Amino acid sequence: MEDKKDILLSIENLNFSFDTQRGVVNAVRDLSITIRKGETLTLVGESGCGKSVTAHSINQLNPMPPGKVDSGAIMFRGKDLLKLKKGEIEKLRGTQISMIFQEPMTALNPVFTVGSQIADVFLTHQDISKEEAMKRTVELFKLVKIPAPERRVHAYPHQLSGGMRQRAMIAMALASPEPGLMIADEPTTALDVTIQAQILDLLNDLKKDVGMSILLITHDMGVVAEMADRVVVMYAGRKVEEADVFSIFESPKHPYTLGLLNSLPSNTKYKGAKRLEAITGTVPDMRTIGAGCPFENRCAYASEICGKEFPSETVLDESHSVWCHNYQKVEEV
Ligand code: SF4
């Protein structure tokens, strides 16, 4: 049983759509997830599966309109984030919920030095002098392992490498007075492999040291293996499997999860990996999805019922659930 005291954030039955000129796109459907204090939850799936829309719903960063919350709640420290006014959610964004993106340039202002932007976070929330704010910024640069921090705080964003900009974004998240949740949306996708590993190590260290929770959005099961405590696999706006990271890699039960794992090189934590295999077909048109399982057109295990009804949850054990009519046929690996 999940202890409510351990839960930092819970998304409850979220339905989110975009009203486009070409029809209504149901981007997230009946999604419920919880993030516990001090854990890393990864949302994994292909582009367009709804993971970024989910993450941006937490911070109210989806464009509205055309975006619209059809129903649901996002509870964080006793408040429903979907009901907060613009000013209230903006305050929360800079203090208790932070976000790092795939490309930090989109979040950093190019005409101010990186250090001054981080010092501003201190100045907004604490009654300290500019000198003290800059001193603390240098300390943060040291914490996130930016070399020559006294010099680098005076650099403009374009003068830093991609990896260093991402470290600066992480520093900015840590400048808030009570960092509770960091949302990291594909934070290493644009980086070289070696820098990627360094950033993931840094996030893991900070999670332990600062005690924050991380919601990590990724399409990369290798990143999941490095980072996750628990994993939610999404497909076409729906949750299709949820488990602790060990169960996902040792005993995947949804055909889509299996497909993601089979597309990994064999030198990974996934013991079933043999050779690289692509998942055939493409994600269905989100405007025309019917009542059945959206993975049906790509699934080797599909049966008649799959086209008619979306499967209900099967609880395999206290940390592992799957939404599939034929999960028992998915071969043991
Ligand atoms: Fe495949 Fe049916 Fe399971 Fe969907 S419900 S993943 S189509 S077997």
Side-chain angles (χ1 to χ4, degrees), residues 254-321:
H254 195 281
Y256 179 58
T257 313
L258 198 64
L260 290 175
L261 290 166
N262 280 335
S263 62
L264 274 175
S266 58
N267 59 346
T268 64
K269 288 186 180 177
Y270 175 48
K271 66 176 184 171
K274 299 169 193 100
R275 62 190 173 88
L276 291 178
E277 281 176 26
I279 303 173
T280 56
T282 51
V283 180
D285 186 335
M286 300 285 276
R287 294 164 302 167
T288 55
I289 289 176
C293 172
F295 194 57
E296 188 200 10
N297 64 331
R298 307 172 78 182
C299 182
Y301 301 88
S303 58
E304 205 183 332
I305 191 174
C306 300
K308 295 180 183 155
E309 281 173 32
F310 185 78
S312 51
E313 177 180 9
T314 301
V315 178
L316 301 162
D317 61 47
E318 63 175 13
S319 77
H320 196 171
S321 287

Side-chain angles (χ1 to χ4, degrees), residues 32 230-232 239-244 248 319-321 323:
S32 295
R230 285 190 305 124
V231 184
V232 167
K239 177 162 74 170
V240 295
E241 186 160 12
E242 176 172 11
D244 62 276
I248 284 287
S319 77
H320 196 171
S321 287
W323 286 255

Side-chain angles (χ1 to χ4, degrees), residues 16-257:
F16 194 99
S17 62
F18 290 95
D19 196 358
T20 72
Q21 285 182 340
R22 294 170 60 213
V24 174
V25 175
N26 293 304
V28 174
R29 294 188 292 164
D30 200 25
L31 183 75
S32 295
I33 56 174
T34 55
I35 302 172
R36 298 175 195 147
K37 290 174 188 162
E39 78 167 353
T40 299
L41 179 79
T42 57
L43 281 186
V44 65
E46 288 162 285
S47 296
C49 71
K51 52 193 194 306
S52 286
V53 175
T54 302
H56 292 181
S57 298
I58 296 171
N59 264 347
Q60 292 189 17
L61 284 177
N62 288 309
M64 313 244 289
K68 180 160 81 81
V69 177
D70 297 308
S71 57
I74 301 182
M75 302 305 298
F76 176 77
R77 292 177 170 164
K79 290 180 184 147
D80 183 353
L81 301 182
L82 297 177
K83 294 201 172 127
L84 294 187
K85 297 200 173 82
K86 200 168 165 237
E88 292 173 310
I89 193 76
E90 273 169 5
K91 197 166 166 215
L92 215 60
R93 262 188 227 147
T95 54
Q96 299 175 45
I97 302 175
S98 55
M99 186 144 192
I100 56 173
F101 300 89
Q102 180 174 339
E103 179 36 84
M105 277 304 265
T106 55
L108 289 166
N109 190 327
V111 300
F112 293 106
T113 64
V114 176
S116 69
Q117 294 181 58
I118 295 170
D120 271 351
V121 179
F122 283 119
L123 291 168
T124 305
H125 302 294
Q126 294 175 48
D127 187 16
I128 55 174
S129 66
K130 279 188 181 173
E131 291 69 31
E132 178 61 24
M134 196 50 92
K135 208 169 126 199
R136 292 190 192 180
T137 302
V138 171
E139 290 303 315
L140 274 185
F141 270 38
K142 282 185 195 157
L143 188 68
V144 298
K145 302 187 176 81
I146 293 180
E150 288 86 358
R151 185 161 54 82
R152 291 262 163 56
V153 288
H154 301 297
Y156 289 89
H158 72 275
Q159 294 173 313
L160 299 181
S161 66
M164 262 193 268
R165 282 199 291 267
Q166 201 57 289
R167 286 172 192 273
M169 282 305 299
I170 294 168
M172 191 180 280
L174 297 175
S176 64
E178 37 183 339
L181 175 67
M182 178 182 282
I183 301 170
D185 190 356
E186 303 274 8
T188 56
T189 305
L191 302 175
D192 292 344
V193 179
T194 48
I195 307 294
Q196 179 173 350
Q198 290 170 12
I199 295 288
L200 294 180
D201 282 350
L202 175 64
L203 284 172
N204 266 334
D205 288 349
L206 291 174
K207 185 181 76 163
K208 277 187 232 129
D209 297 347
V210 183
M212 63 187 179
S213 306
I214 299 176
L215 174 63
L216 178 69
I217 316 298
T218 183
H219 65 278
D220 183 340
M221 292 302 278
V223 171
V224 173
E226 286 302 315
M227 295 293 293
D229 294 309
R230 285 190 305 124
V231 184
V232 167
V233 182
M234 287 186 74
Y235 187 77
R238 286 192 182 271
K239 177 162 74 170
V240 295
E241 186 160 12
E242 176 172 11
D244 62 276
V245 67
F246 184 78
S247 299
I248 284 287
F249 281 84
E250 283 294 307
S251 177
K253 289 294 175 214
H254 195 281
Y256 179 58
T257 313

